[in-house]
């Protein structure tokens, strides 16, 4: 396996003239807690051009005949991204061997990208039987070859007797990509709970079209709610919807354009009239959530922190889409919560 591994190293090392430059954006990862973590640590070291550290993740069988040859193999490499698949393991003679499916995308200094895929075998020697110096999990062997698939799809289904990775949720992945492309630089980086933005709350809706026959099966629609930003008292969210006809698309929400008349033109005074003078659409909803029982998305935009002035919309899911069915406005800054309904398609006649 040594020769195969050396050959694989040559494959995914991009040899281009020039001296390596530290890729400052690559995170420092040095984690030997799992086999997958060791592989990620290896490529963290390579992306940062910390080759002594990378060399140290291998056991007695090294990826090149000597350290200088190993380093030279990465002369033209700017950075390396890595993905791993479902890890399998087996025990043997005081050790556990892990098989890790791997795909990497190597980028050279001219920006050219090349994808390789294959398997690594890592070994963990039983810690209780070791004597100093201690040996952590290490890479025992591996082989990567040029991949024909895109990086996102290049991870092998399994290595050895390992299980295949779980089937991807295509609609969810497409919604996440669309959100990241449009709002990645606009929205906060973390939710109020400290979680990364970009993992949505998901709901599955089943329904029949209004014109569907009684024996027709129900249709399915997926709803994805992405947290976007949090201000002092308002939180915004972006929604995507997916079905078998239109695929994944972003929801736009209708809202009335209002002409609010105050006594003596004083916005702190009495409200004389609220008139709808048109409609507009919003790509985000404020303080919103989806109610599975009523199949409605509701929103409530506070105009100031105490919440005595606000606007609220109710969007009902029917016939495969969300429609604005009710809109309430509290336009008085009087310290009391007393909204009035200015649009109502929600109450039967």
């Amino acid at each position: 396996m040594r020769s195969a591994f050396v050959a694989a190293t040559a494959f995914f090392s991009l040899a281009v003239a020039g001296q390596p430059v530290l890729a400052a954006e690559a995170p420092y990862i040095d984690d030997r807690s799992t086999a997958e973590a060791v592989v990620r640590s290896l490529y963290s070291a390579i992306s940062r051009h910390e080759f002594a550290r990378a060399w140290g993740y291998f056991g007695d069988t090294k990826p090149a005949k000597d350290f200088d040859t190993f380093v030279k193999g990465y002369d033209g490499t700017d950075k390396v991204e890595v993905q791993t698949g479902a890890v399998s393991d087996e025990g043997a003679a005081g050790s556990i061997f892990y098989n890790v499916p791997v795909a990497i995308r190597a980028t050279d200094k001219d920006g050219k990208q090349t994808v390789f895929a294959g398997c690594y075998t890592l070994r963990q020697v039983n810690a209780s039987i070791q004597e100093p110096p201690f040996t952590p999990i290490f890479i025992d062997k591996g082989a990567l070859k040029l991949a024909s698939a895109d990086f996102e799809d290049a991870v092998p289904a399994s290595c050895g007797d390992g299980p295949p990775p779980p089937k991807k949720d295509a609609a969810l992945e497409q919604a996440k990509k669309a959100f990241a492309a449009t709002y990645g630089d606009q929205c906060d980086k973390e939710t109020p709970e400290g979680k990364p933005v970009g993992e949505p709350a998901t709901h599955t809706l089943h329904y029949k079209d209004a014109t569907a026959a009684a024996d027709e099966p129900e249709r399915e629609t997926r709803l994805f709610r992405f947290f976007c930003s949090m201000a002092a008292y308002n939180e915004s969210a972006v929604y995507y919807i997916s079905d078998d006809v239109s695929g994944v698309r972003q929801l736009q929400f209708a809202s009335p354009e209002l002409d609010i008349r105050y006594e003596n033109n004083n916005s702190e005074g009495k409200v004389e009239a609220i008139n709808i003078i048109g409609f507009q659409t919003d790509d985000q909803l404020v303080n919103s959530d989806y109610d599975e029982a009523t199949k409605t998305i509701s929103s409530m935009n506070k105009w100031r922190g105490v919440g005595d002035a606000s606007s609220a919309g109710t969007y009902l899911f029917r016939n495969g889409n969300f429609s604005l069915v009710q809109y309430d406005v509290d336009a008085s800054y009087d310290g009391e919560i007393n909204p009035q309904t200015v649009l109502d398609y929600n109450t039967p006649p």
Side-chain angles (χ1 to χ4, degrees):
M1 291 299 297
R2 180 181 175 87
S3 60
F5 188 68
V6 172
T9 302
F11 263 125
F12 61 72
S13 301
L14 302 181
V16 178
Q19 296 300 315
V21 178
L22 178 62
E25 71 277 6
Y28 181 89
I29 302 171
D30 182 18
D31 185 353
R32 291 184 183 254
S33 59
T34 66
E36 178 186 10
V38 174
V39 172
R40 293 190 177 278
S41 298
L42 167 68
Y43 286 106
S44 163
I46 291 172
S47 287
R48 293 169 63 90
H49 302 133
E50 297 167 353
F51 297 113
R53 180 162 70 91
W55 183 262
Y57 292 116
F58 295 90
D60 292 336
T61 303
K62 299 298 186 181
K65 65 179 182 179
D66 54 44
F67 179 67
D68 289 340
T69 302
F70 176 69
V71 174
K72 188 175 181 180
Y74 290 99
D75 273 352
T77 304
D78 181 47
K79 65 178 181 178
V80 183
E81 302 162 83
V82 61
Q83 291 191 115
T84 58
V87 179
S88 62
D89 61 78
E90 57 182 338
S95 295
I96 300 175
F97 290 88
Y98 300 93
N99 297 304
V100 184
V102 173
I104 67 169
R105 177 165 57 194
T107 304
D108 69 17
K109 294 171 183 176
D110 294 327
K112 180 183 177 182
Q113 296 183 334
T114 310
V115 177
F116 302 90
C119 297
Y120 279 99
T121 298
L122 292 89
R123 183 181 178 187
Q124 180 179 5
V125 179
N126 189 335
S128 65
I129 64 174
Q130 291 193 46
E131 296 181 355
F134 175 73
T135 301
I137 301 175
F138 62 86
I139 300 172
D140 186 52
K141 58 186 177 182
L144 302 183
K145 296 181 179 180
L146 189 65
S148 57
D150 293 336
F151 176 56
E152 291 76 9
D153 302 315
V155 178
S158 62
C159 292
D161 297 326
K167 186 177 180 181
K168 287 186 177 180
D169 187 334
L172 172 60
E173 293 303 316
Q174 188 175 347
K176 289 166 65 173
K177 287 181 180 179
F179 174 78
T182 305
Y183 297 96
D185 295 330
Q186 299 181 32
C187 295
D188 296 345
K189 301 306 179 185
E190 291 185 345
T191 68
E193 296 77 25
K195 298 179 180 179
V197 171
E199 290 295 334
T202 65
H203 303 274
T204 302
L205 295 71
H206 293 95
Y207 72 100
K208 281 191 174 184
D209 289 322
T211 58
D215 58 348
E216 286 188 33
E218 288 187 324
R219 296 182 60 184
E220 179 178 288
T221 293
R222 305 278 302 284
L223 178 68
F224 306 102
R225 179 190 185 276
F226 291 87
F227 166 85
C228 181
S229 62
M230 182 72 187
Y233 43 83
N234 284 325
E235 173 187 310
S236 68
V238 178
Y239 289 81
Y240 289 83
I241 198 169
S242 173
D243 57 40
D244 58 354
V245 175
S246 302
V248 174
R249 55 189 172 87
Q250 185 180 352
L251 285 178
Q252 300 288 334
F253 296 92
S255 62
E257 185 179 357
L258 303 174
D259 175 35
I260 303 173
R261 302 294 176 92
Y262 293 94
E263 188 176 60
N264 299 322
N265 291 323
N266 178 12
S267 61
E268 298 292 330
K270 180 181 178 182
V271 177
E272 292 185 332
I274 302 176
N275 299 309
I276 296 175
I277 58 174
F279 287 85
Q280 58 191 18
T281 59
D282 301 314
D283 64 338
Q284 300 179 36
L285 286 184
V286 178
N287 299 329
S288 66
D289 209 350
Y290 173 70
D291 186 336
E292 292 185 350
T294 59
K295 290 188 176 180
T296 57
I297 298 174
S298 59
S299 69
M300 202 277 280
N301 186 359
K302 295 181 181 181
W303 295 2
R304 67 178 182 179
V306 295
D308 60 339
S310 64
S311 54
T314 301
Y315 301 85
L316 174 66
F317 181 78
R318 57 187 175 192
N319 298 323
N321 213 336
F322 283 90
S323 301
L324 174 64
V325 294
Q326 185 170 327
Y327 204 82
D328 302 324
V329 178
D330 186 347
S332 58
Y333 296 86
D334 56 4
E336 298 181 2
I337 298 176
N338 47 10
Q340 66 181 87
T341 299
V342 298
L343 181 151
D344 188 2
Y345 299 114
N346 204 25
T347 304

